[in-house]
Amino acid sequence: MAVHPGMMIKPELEERGISQKEFAKMLGTQPSHLSEVLNGKRALTTELAVKIENTIGLPAKILLSAQTQYELESTARLPATDISWPVA
């Protein structure tokens, strides 16, 4: 089962004694936005993943890979009728 990248980031912050509010400030993002990512309610963007890597060293590639796997597994559980396909 895939894990949302927020579940990987959250323990790192706790281990380092960094609050979510402090980390949001370090990243230059809103605390509410970061909270949604850390709690799996919002997707991790490439931009934020790179900022996280530059700030605390968690590799953006690993975080983005986790996000992709999470989205693939979440989408695979949807009925085919709920998936929209691009119209050419």
Side-chain angles (χ1 to χ4, degrees):
M1 180 170 187
V3 175
H4 189 280
M7 300 302 135
M8 299 166 69
I9 302 164
K10 213 173 188 178
E12 276 294 319
L13 297 179
E14 291 168 2
E15 202 170 295
R16 296 167 190 242
I18 302 171
S19 71
Q20 288 184 25
K21 187 176 182 178
E22 181 182 357
F23 193 49
K25 188 175 183 177
M26 293 165 74
L27 297 172
T29 191
Q30 293 295 317
S32 59
H33 178 91
L34 180 62
S35 178
E36 289 175 350
V37 171
L38 296 180
N39 291 308
K41 296 179 180 179
R42 183 186 289 251
L44 177 70
T45 64
T46 303
E47 180 183 352
L48 189 55
V50 170
K51 286 181 178 182
I52 290 168
E53 179 174 10
N54 292 338
T55 305
I56 61 170
L58 282 177
K61 276 186 173 182
I62 291 173
L63 295 173
L64 291 169
S65 178
Q67 181 66 49
T68 300
Q69 283 300 117
Y70 181 81
E71 289 175 10
L72 283 170
E73 285 191 19
S74 296
T75 302
R77 288 185 283 246
L78 293 174
T81 55
D82 289 348
I83 301 173
S84 60
W85 300 97
V87 178

